[in-house]
Amino acid sequence: MKTKKEIIKYLIVTPFIGATDFGVYYLLIHFRLPYSVSKAISYVIANGAGYLFNKFWIFKRKRKQSAVPEVGRYFIVDVSLFAVNIIINQVILHVWPHAVFLAIATASILTAMMSFICKKFWVFKTSICLK
C-alpha cells in the first residue's frame, strides 16, 4: 500500500517538475539569456524542486544525517537516466525515423519508471540499508 501511494505522488509531482523546467527555461529565454544558460538554470531549479518533493513528500525521508550522499545519488540517477532517455529516443528514431512522438513517449515513460525504482530503492532507501 505504501508503494502505491508513493507511485501516485510520483505521478503527480513528475509533470509539475517538467512544467517547472519548461516554465523557468521559457522565462529566462524571454529575458534574452542564452539558451544553454537558461537550460542549465531551469534544469538545476527543476531538479532541486524534484529532490525536495521526492525526499519530503513522496518517500518521506527526514533523516538527520548528512544529505550529501543522498544528493549525490540523486544527481547520479538523474544524469544517468538523462543519458538513457537520449539513447532510447535515438534508437527508436533510428529504427523508425518519423516516429518522433513514439520516441519521446517511450523514452519518457521508461526513464520515469526507472527513476522511481532507483530513487525508492537506492537514493532514498531506509537508514538500515545505508549502514
Side-chain angles (χ1 to χ4, degrees):
M1 194 63 157
K2 178 182 175 188
T3 299
K4 185 177 178 180
K5 287 181 182 180
E6 290 170 340
I7 290 170
I8 291 168
K9 288 178 179 181
Y10 191 80
L11 291 172
I12 292 168
V13 167
T14 300
F16 171 75
I17 299 305
T20 300
D21 188 13
F22 179 81
V24 170
Y25 177 72
Y26 183 76
L27 181 68
L28 294 174
I29 62 172
H30 176 74
F31 287 110
R32 308 236 188 267
L33 264 70
Y35 292 121
S36 57
V37 172
S38 298
K39 186 59 193 155
I41 293 169
S42 72
Y43 181 83
V44 168
I45 290 171
N47 278 292
Y51 172 78
L52 294 173
F53 272 111
N54 277 276
K55 179 178 177 88
F56 296 111
W57 190 55
I58 297 171
F59 299 111
K60 295 186 180 179
R61 301 296 187 254
K62 296 176 183 169
R63 288 189 299 267
K64 294 179 182 173
Q65 296 116 339
S66 171
V68 173
E70 193 175 78
V71 170
R73 289 191 302 268
Y74 190 90
F75 179 75
I76 289 167
V77 167
D78 274 5
V79 169
S80 299
L81 289 177
F82 178 66
V84 169
N85 187 294
I86 292 169
I87 292 166
I88 293 168
N89 190 69
Q90 287 303 112
V91 167
I92 292 171
L93 289 174
H94 180 74
V95 175
W96 298 293
H98 299 291
V100 175
F101 179 77
L102 175 67
I104 292 169
T106 303
S108 296
I109 290 167
L110 290 176
T111 55
M113 291 169 31
M114 288 184 257
S115 177
F116 178 83
I117 291 167
C118 290
K119 288 171 183 168
K120 178 170 178 62
F121 295 108
W122 188 54
V123 175
F124 299 108
K125 60 187 172 182
T126 60
S127 59
I128 293 170
C129 296
L130 288 174
K131 293 180 181 180

Short mmCIF file of all heavy atoms in Angstrom, two decimals, residues 2-18 47 49-55 57-60 74 77-78 81 85 107-121 123-124:
data_model
loop_
_atom_site.label_atom_id
_atom_site.label_comp_id
_atom_site.label_asym_id
_atom_site.label_seq_id
_atom_site.Cartn_x
_atom_site.Cartn_y
_atom_site.Cartn_z
N LYS A 2 2.00 1.21 0.73
CA LYS A 2 2.88 2.36 0.81
C LYS A 2 3.45 2.69 -0.58
O LYS A 2 3.48 3.86 -0.98
CB LYS A 2 4.01 2.09 1.80
CG LYS A 2 5.01 3.20 1.92
CD LYS A 2 6.12 2.83 2.87
CE LYS A 2 7.17 3.92 2.87
NZ LYS A 2 8.34 3.56 3.63
N THR A 3 3.89 1.66 -1.30
CA THR A 3 4.46 1.87 -2.63
C THR A 3 3.42 2.44 -3.58
O THR A 3 3.74 3.32 -4.39
CB THR A 3 5.05 0.57 -3.18
OG1 THR A 3 6.10 0.12 -2.30
CG2 THR A 3 5.61 0.76 -4.57
N LYS A 4 2.19 2.00 -3.49
CA LYS A 4 1.12 2.52 -4.35
C LYS A 4 0.93 4.02 -4.12
O LYS A 4 0.81 4.79 -5.08
CB LYS A 4 -0.19 1.77 -4.09
CG LYS A 4 -1.31 2.17 -5.01
CD LYS A 4 -2.56 1.35 -4.75
CE LYS A 4 -3.68 1.79 -5.65
NZ LYS A 4 -4.91 1.00 -5.43
N LYS A 5 0.94 4.45 -2.87
CA LYS A 5 0.82 5.88 -2.56
C LYS A 5 2.01 6.66 -3.10
O LYS A 5 1.86 7.77 -3.60
CB LYS A 5 0.69 6.09 -1.05
CG LYS A 5 -0.65 5.69 -0.49
CD LYS A 5 -0.71 5.95 0.99
CE LYS A 5 -2.05 5.51 1.56
NZ LYS A 5 -2.14 5.74 3.01
N GLU A 6 3.20 6.07 -2.98
CA GLU A 6 4.40 6.72 -3.50
C GLU A 6 4.32 6.88 -5.01
O GLU A 6 4.69 7.93 -5.56
CB GLU A 6 5.65 5.93 -3.10
CG GLU A 6 5.97 5.99 -1.64
CD GLU A 6 7.06 5.04 -1.21
OE1 GLU A 6 7.35 4.05 -1.94
OE2 GLU A 6 7.64 5.26 -0.13
N ILE A 7 3.83 5.86 -5.69
CA ILE A 7 3.69 5.93 -7.16
C ILE A 7 2.71 7.02 -7.55
O ILE A 7 2.96 7.81 -8.46
CB ILE A 7 3.27 4.56 -7.74
CG1 ILE A 7 4.42 3.55 -7.61
CG2 ILE A 7 2.83 4.70 -9.20
CD1 ILE A 7 4.04 2.13 -7.94
N ILE A 8 1.58 7.09 -6.84
CA ILE A 8 0.58 8.13 -7.14
C ILE A 8 1.19 9.52 -6.93
O ILE A 8 1.03 10.41 -7.78
CB ILE A 8 -0.69 7.92 -6.30
CG1 ILE A 8 -1.42 6.66 -6.76
CG2 ILE A 8 -1.61 9.14 -6.38
CD1 ILE A 8 -2.52 6.18 -5.83
N LYS A 9 1.88 9.71 -5.83
CA LYS A 9 2.52 11.00 -5.57
C LYS A 9 3.57 11.32 -6.64
O LYS A 9 3.68 12.46 -7.09
CB LYS A 9 3.16 11.01 -4.18
CG LYS A 9 2.16 11.05 -3.05
CD LYS A 9 2.89 11.01 -1.72
CE LYS A 9 1.94 11.06 -0.55
NZ LYS A 9 2.68 11.04 0.74
N TYR A 10 4.32 10.29 -7.03
CA TYR A 10 5.35 10.47 -8.06
C TYR A 10 4.71 10.90 -9.38
O TYR A 10 5.22 11.79 -10.07
CB TYR A 10 6.13 9.17 -8.23
CG TYR A 10 7.38 9.31 -9.06
CD1 TYR A 10 8.54 9.81 -8.50
CD2 TYR A 10 7.39 8.94 -10.40
CE1 TYR A 10 9.69 9.95 -9.25
CE2 TYR A 10 8.54 9.07 -11.15
CZ TYR A 10 9.69 9.57 -10.57
OH TYR A 10 10.83 9.70 -11.32
N LEU A 11 3.57 10.29 -9.71
CA LEU A 11 2.86 10.65 -10.95
C LEU A 11 2.28 12.07 -10.89
O LEU A 11 2.10 12.70 -11.92
CB LEU A 11 1.75 9.63 -11.24
CG LEU A 11 2.24 8.24 -11.63
CD1 LEU A 11 1.06 7.26 -11.71
CD2 LEU A 11 3.00 8.27 -12.95
N ILE A 12 2.01 12.55 -9.71
CA ILE A 12 1.54 13.93 -9.54
C ILE A 12 2.70 14.91 -9.67
O ILE A 12 2.60 15.94 -10.33
CB ILE A 12 0.83 14.10 -8.17
CG1 ILE A 12 -0.47 13.31 -8.15
CG2 ILE A 12 0.59 15.58 -7.86
CD1 ILE A 12 -1.10 13.18 -6.77
N VAL A 13 3.81 14.60 -9.02
CA VAL A 13 4.96 15.51 -8.97
C VAL A 13 5.69 15.60 -10.30
O VAL A 13 6.13 16.69 -10.70
CB VAL A 13 5.93 15.08 -7.84
CG1 VAL A 13 7.26 15.79 -7.95
CG2 VAL A 13 5.29 15.35 -6.49
N THR A 14 5.85 14.49 -11.01
CA THR A 14 6.66 14.47 -12.23
C THR A 14 6.23 15.51 -13.27
O THR A 14 7.08 16.25 -13.77
CB THR A 14 6.70 13.04 -12.82
OG1 THR A 14 7.27 12.16 -11.84
CG2 THR A 14 7.54 12.98 -14.07
N PRO A 15 4.95 15.62 -13.60
CA PRO A 15 4.56 16.69 -14.55
C PRO A 15 4.81 18.09 -14.01
O PRO A 15 5.16 19.01 -14.76
CB PRO A 15 3.06 16.46 -14.77
CG PRO A 15 2.80 15.07 -14.33
CD PRO A 15 3.82 14.75 -13.28
N PHE A 16 4.66 18.27 -12.69
CA PHE A 16 4.93 19.57 -12.08
C PHE A 16 6.40 19.95 -12.25
O PHE A 16 6.72 21.09 -12.58
CB PHE A 16 4.55 19.54 -10.60
CG PHE A 16 4.98 20.76 -9.84
CD1 PHE A 16 4.30 21.96 -9.99
CD2 PHE A 16 6.08 20.72 -9.00
CE1 PHE A 16 4.71 23.10 -9.31
CE2 PHE A 16 6.50 21.85 -8.32
CZ PHE A 16 5.81 23.04 -8.47
N ILE A 17 7.29 18.99 -12.06
CA ILE A 17 8.72 19.25 -12.21
C ILE A 17 9.04 19.56 -13.68
O ILE A 17 9.81 20.47 -13.98
CB ILE A 17 9.56 18.05 -11.70
CG1 ILE A 17 9.29 17.82 -10.21
CG2 ILE A 17 11.05 18.24 -11.98
CD1 ILE A 17 9.51 19.02 -9.32
N GLY A 18 8.42 18.82 -14.59
CA GLY A 18 8.60 19.11 -16.02
C GLY A 18 8.12 20.50 -16.38
O GLY A 18 8.77 21.23 -17.14
N ASN A 47 15.32 20.20 -10.89
CA ASN A 47 15.83 19.03 -10.17
C ASN A 47 15.96 19.28 -8.68
O ASN A 47 15.79 18.36 -7.88
CB ASN A 47 17.15 18.56 -10.78
CG ASN A 47 16.89 17.72 -12.00
OD1 ASN A 47 16.36 16.62 -11.88
ND2 ASN A 47 17.22 18.23 -13.16
N ALA A 49 13.86 21.17 -6.98
CA ALA A 49 12.47 21.00 -6.53
C ALA A 49 12.10 19.52 -6.52
O ALA A 49 11.44 19.05 -5.58
CB ALA A 49 11.52 21.78 -7.44
N GLY A 50 12.53 18.80 -7.54
CA GLY A 50 12.26 17.36 -7.61
C GLY A 50 12.86 16.62 -6.43
O GLY A 50 12.21 15.75 -5.83
N TYR A 51 14.09 16.96 -6.08
CA TYR A 51 14.73 16.33 -4.93
C TYR A 51 13.92 16.57 -3.66
O TYR A 51 13.66 15.64 -2.89
CB TYR A 51 16.16 16.86 -4.77
CG TYR A 51 16.81 16.39 -3.48
CD1 TYR A 51 17.32 15.11 -3.38
CD2 TYR A 51 16.86 17.23 -2.38
CE1 TYR A 51 17.89 14.67 -2.19
CE2 TYR A 51 17.43 16.80 -1.19
CZ TYR A 51 17.94 15.52 -1.10
OH TYR A 51 18.49 15.09 0.08
N LEU A 52 13.52 17.81 -3.44
CA LEU A 52 12.77 18.15 -2.22
C LEU A 52 11.43 17.43 -2.17
O LEU A 52 11.04 16.90 -1.12
CB LEU A 52 12.59 19.66 -2.12
CG LEU A 52 13.90 20.44 -1.91
CD1 LEU A 52 13.63 21.95 -2.00
CD2 LEU A 52 14.55 20.08 -0.60
N PHE A 53 10.70 17.40 -3.30
CA PHE A 53 9.43 16.68 -3.34
C PHE A 53 9.63 15.19 -3.09
O PHE A 53 8.88 14.56 -2.35
CB PHE A 53 8.72 16.88 -4.69
CG PHE A 53 7.84 18.08 -4.74
CD1 PHE A 53 8.19 19.17 -5.53
CD2 PHE A 53 6.67 18.14 -4.02
CE1 PHE A 53 7.37 20.29 -5.60
CE2 PHE A 53 5.84 19.26 -4.07
CZ PHE A 53 6.20 20.34 -4.86
N ASN A 54 10.64 14.62 -3.75
CA ASN A 54 10.91 13.19 -3.57
C ASN A 54 11.28 12.87 -2.13
O ASN A 54 10.79 11.91 -1.54
CB ASN A 54 12.04 12.73 -4.51
CG ASN A 54 11.53 12.43 -5.90
OD1 ASN A 54 11.05 11.35 -6.16
ND2 ASN A 54 11.62 13.41 -6.79
N LYS A 55 12.15 13.66 -1.57
CA LYS A 55 12.65 13.39 -0.21
C LYS A 55 11.56 13.55 0.85
O LYS A 55 11.36 12.67 1.68
CB LYS A 55 13.83 14.31 0.11
CG LYS A 55 14.37 14.09 1.52
CD LYS A 55 15.57 14.97 1.78
CE LYS A 55 16.06 14.79 3.19
NZ LYS A 55 17.03 13.73 3.34
N TRP A 57 8.06 14.49 0.49
CA TRP A 57 6.65 14.19 0.29
C TRP A 57 6.44 12.78 -0.24
O TRP A 57 5.63 12.03 0.30
CB TRP A 57 6.02 15.22 -0.65
CG TRP A 57 4.51 15.09 -0.71
CD1 TRP A 57 3.65 15.12 0.35
CD2 TRP A 57 3.72 14.90 -1.87
NE1 TRP A 57 2.35 14.97 -0.10
CE2 TRP A 57 2.37 14.84 -1.46
CE3 TRP A 57 4.01 14.79 -3.23
CZ2 TRP A 57 1.33 14.66 -2.35
CZ3 TRP A 57 2.97 14.62 -4.11
CH2 TRP A 57 1.64 14.57 -3.68
N ILE A 58 7.17 12.41 -1.28
CA ILE A 58 6.93 11.10 -1.88
C ILE A 58 7.48 9.98 -1.00
O ILE A 58 6.76 9.05 -0.62
CB ILE A 58 7.52 11.02 -3.30
CG1 ILE A 58 6.82 12.03 -4.21
CG2 ILE A 58 7.39 9.61 -3.86
CD1 ILE A 58 7.46 12.21 -5.57
N PHE A 59 8.76 10.06 -0.67
CA PHE A 59 9.40 8.97 0.08
C PHE A 59 9.54 9.27 1.57
O PHE A 59 9.98 8.42 2.33
CB PHE A 59 10.76 8.64 -0.54
CG PHE A 59 10.65 8.18 -1.96
CD1 PHE A 59 11.11 8.97 -3.01
CD2 PHE A 59 10.05 6.97 -2.27
CE1 PHE A 59 10.99 8.55 -4.33
CE2 PHE A 59 9.92 6.54 -3.58
CZ PHE A 59 10.39 7.34 -4.62
N LYS A 60 9.17 10.46 2.00
CA LYS A 60 9.12 10.88 3.40
C LYS A 60 10.37 10.50 4.18
O LYS A 60 10.31 9.88 5.23
CB LYS A 60 7.88 10.31 4.08
CG LYS A 60 6.59 10.86 3.50
CD LYS A 60 5.40 10.39 4.27
CE LYS A 60 4.15 10.97 3.63
NZ LYS A 60 2.95 10.55 4.30
N TYR A 74 21.10 11.08 -5.96
CA TYR A 74 20.02 11.68 -6.75
C TYR A 74 20.57 12.24 -8.06
O TYR A 74 20.01 12.02 -9.13
CB TYR A 74 19.33 12.79 -5.94
CG TYR A 74 18.05 13.30 -6.55
CD1 TYR A 74 16.84 12.71 -6.24
CD2 TYR A 74 18.05 14.37 -7.44
CE1 TYR A 74 15.66 13.17 -6.80
CE2 TYR A 74 16.88 14.84 -8.00
CZ TYR A 74 15.68 14.24 -7.68
OH TYR A 74 14.52 14.70 -8.24
N VAL A 77 21.57 9.40 -10.47
CA VAL A 77 20.38 8.82 -11.10
C VAL A 77 19.86 9.74 -12.20
O VAL A 77 19.60 9.29 -13.33
CB VAL A 77 19.27 8.52 -10.06
CG1 VAL A 77 17.94 8.22 -10.73
CG2 VAL A 77 19.69 7.35 -9.17
N ASP A 78 19.70 11.02 -11.91
CA ASP A 78 19.12 11.93 -12.90
C ASP A 78 20.01 12.10 -14.13
O ASP A 78 19.51 12.07 -15.25
CB ASP A 78 18.83 13.29 -12.27
CG ASP A 78 17.46 13.33 -11.60
OD1 ASP A 78 16.80 12.28 -11.54
OD2 ASP A 78 17.07 14.41 -11.15
N LEU A 81 19.97 8.72 -16.10
CA LEU A 81 18.71 8.50 -16.80
C LEU A 81 18.46 9.53 -17.90
O LEU A 81 17.77 9.24 -18.88
CB LEU A 81 17.54 8.44 -15.82
CG LEU A 81 17.54 7.17 -14.97
CD1 LEU A 81 16.39 7.20 -13.97
CD2 LEU A 81 17.48 5.92 -15.81
N ASN A 85 17.59 8.27 -21.50
CA ASN A 85 16.47 8.85 -22.23
C ASN A 85 16.89 9.21 -23.65
O ASN A 85 16.18 8.91 -24.61
CB ASN A 85 15.95 10.08 -21.47
CG ASN A 85 14.69 10.65 -22.05
OD1 ASN A 85 14.69 11.16 -23.16
ND2 ASN A 85 13.62 10.58 -21.28
N ALA A 107 10.72 6.90 -24.41
CA ALA A 107 11.88 7.29 -23.61
C ALA A 107 11.45 7.89 -22.28
O ALA A 107 12.01 7.58 -21.22
CB ALA A 107 12.76 8.26 -24.39
N SER A 108 10.45 8.74 -22.32
CA SER A 108 9.98 9.40 -21.09
C SER A 108 9.35 8.41 -20.11
O SER A 108 9.64 8.44 -18.91
CB SER A 108 8.97 10.49 -21.43
OG SER A 108 9.59 11.49 -22.19
N ILE A 109 8.51 7.53 -20.61
CA ILE A 109 7.84 6.57 -19.73
C ILE A 109 8.85 5.59 -19.12
O ILE A 109 8.82 5.34 -17.91
CB ILE A 109 6.72 5.82 -20.50
CG1 ILE A 109 5.58 6.79 -20.79
CG2 ILE A 109 6.23 4.61 -19.71
CD1 ILE A 109 4.56 6.28 -21.79
N LEU A 110 9.74 5.05 -19.95
CA LEU A 110 10.72 4.10 -19.43
C LEU A 110 11.66 4.73 -18.41
O LEU A 110 11.94 4.15 -17.36
CB LEU A 110 11.51 3.47 -20.57
CG LEU A 110 10.73 2.50 -21.46
CD1 LEU A 110 11.61 2.02 -22.62
CD2 LEU A 110 10.22 1.31 -20.65
N THR A 111 12.13 5.94 -18.69
CA THR A 111 13.04 6.57 -17.74
C THR A 111 12.31 7.03 -16.48
O THR A 111 12.91 7.02 -15.39
CB THR A 111 13.84 7.73 -18.37
OG1 THR A 111 12.95 8.67 -18.95
CG2 THR A 111 14.82 7.21 -19.40
N ALA A 112 11.06 7.39 -16.58
CA ALA A 112 10.29 7.74 -15.38
C ALA A 112 10.13 6.52 -14.48
O ALA A 112 10.28 6.62 -13.25
CB ALA A 112 8.92 8.31 -15.75
N MET A 113 9.87 5.36 -15.07
CA MET A 113 9.75 4.13 -14.29
C MET A 113 11.09 3.77 -13.64
O MET A 113 11.14 3.43 -12.45
CB MET A 113 9.25 2.98 -15.18
CG MET A 113 7.81 3.15 -15.60
SD MET A 113 7.19 2.03 -16.91
CE MET A 113 8.07 0.55 -16.71
N MET A 114 12.16 3.86 -14.41
CA MET A 114 13.49 3.57 -13.87
C MET A 114 13.85 4.56 -12.76
O MET A 114 14.45 4.19 -11.75
CB MET A 114 14.55 3.62 -14.97
CG MET A 114 14.48 2.45 -15.93
SD MET A 114 15.84 2.52 -17.12
CE MET A 114 14.98 3.13 -18.56
N SER A 115 13.47 5.81 -12.95
CA SER A 115 13.76 6.85 -11.97
C SER A 115 13.07 6.54 -10.64
O SER A 115 13.69 6.64 -9.57
CB SER A 115 13.31 8.21 -12.50
OG SER A 115 13.51 9.20 -11.54
N PHE A 116 11.80 6.17 -10.69
CA PHE A 116 11.07 5.84 -9.47
C PHE A 116 11.75 4.70 -8.73
O PHE A 116 11.99 4.78 -7.52
CB PHE A 116 9.61 5.47 -9.77
CG PHE A 116 8.85 5.08 -8.54
CD1 PHE A 116 8.30 6.03 -7.71
CD2 PHE A 116 8.73 3.74 -8.18
CE1 PHE A 116 7.63 5.67 -6.55
CE2 PHE A 116 8.06 3.37 -7.03
CZ PHE A 116 7.51 4.33 -6.21
N ILE A 117 12.09 3.66 -9.46
CA ILE A 117 12.72 2.48 -8.84
C ILE A 117 14.07 2.84 -8.23
O ILE A 117 14.36 2.47 -7.09
CB ILE A 117 12.86 1.35 -9.88
CG1 ILE A 117 11.46 0.82 -10.24
CG2 ILE A 117 13.75 0.22 -9.36
CD1 ILE A 117 11.42 -0.06 -11.47
N CYS A 118 14.89 3.57 -8.96
CA CYS A 118 16.21 3.97 -8.45
C CYS A 118 16.10 4.87 -7.23
O CYS A 118 16.86 4.71 -6.26
CB CYS A 118 17.01 4.68 -9.54
SG CYS A 118 17.55 3.61 -10.88
N LYS A 119 15.16 5.79 -7.26
CA LYS A 119 15.01 6.71 -6.14
C LYS A 119 14.44 6.00 -4.91
O LYS A 119 14.89 6.25 -3.79
CB LYS A 119 14.16 7.91 -6.54
CG LYS A 119 14.92 8.83 -7.48
CD LYS A 119 14.07 9.92 -8.08
CE LYS A 119 14.92 10.72 -9.07
NZ LYS A 119 14.12 11.61 -9.90
N LYS A 120 13.51 5.12 -5.11
CA LYS A 120 12.91 4.39 -3.98
C LYS A 120 13.92 3.45 -3.34
O LYS A 120 14.03 3.40 -2.11
CB LYS A 120 11.69 3.60 -4.43
CG LYS A 120 11.07 2.81 -3.28
CD LYS A 120 9.74 2.22 -3.66
CE LYS A 120 9.13 1.40 -2.55
NZ LYS A 120 8.84 2.12 -1.34
N PHE A 121 14.66 2.69 -4.15
CA PHE A 121 15.49 1.63 -3.60
C PHE A 121 16.98 1.98 -3.48
O PHE A 121 17.75 1.19 -2.92
CB PHE A 121 15.32 0.36 -4.43
CG PHE A 121 13.93 -0.19 -4.34
CD1 PHE A 121 13.07 -0.10 -5.42
CD2 PHE A 121 13.47 -0.76 -3.16
CE1 PHE A 121 11.78 -0.61 -5.34
CE2 PHE A 121 12.17 -1.26 -3.07
CZ PHE A 121 11.33 -1.18 -4.17
N VAL A 123 18.37 5.88 -3.87
CA VAL A 123 18.57 7.26 -3.41
C VAL A 123 17.97 7.47 -2.02
O VAL A 123 18.64 7.96 -1.12
CB VAL A 123 17.98 8.27 -4.41
CG1 VAL A 123 18.10 9.69 -3.86
CG2 VAL A 123 18.66 8.16 -5.75
N PHE A 124 16.71 7.10 -1.85
CA PHE A 124 16.01 7.35 -0.59
C PHE A 124 15.73 6.07 0.19
O PHE A 124 14.69 5.96 0.86
CB PHE A 124 14.70 8.10 -0.86
CG PHE A 124 14.90 9.44 -1.51
CD1 PHE A 124 14.57 9.65 -2.84
CD2 PHE A 124 15.45 10.49 -0.80
CE1 PHE A 124 14.76 10.89 -3.44
CE2 PHE A 124 15.66 11.73 -1.39
CZ PHE A 124 15.30 11.93 -2.71
#
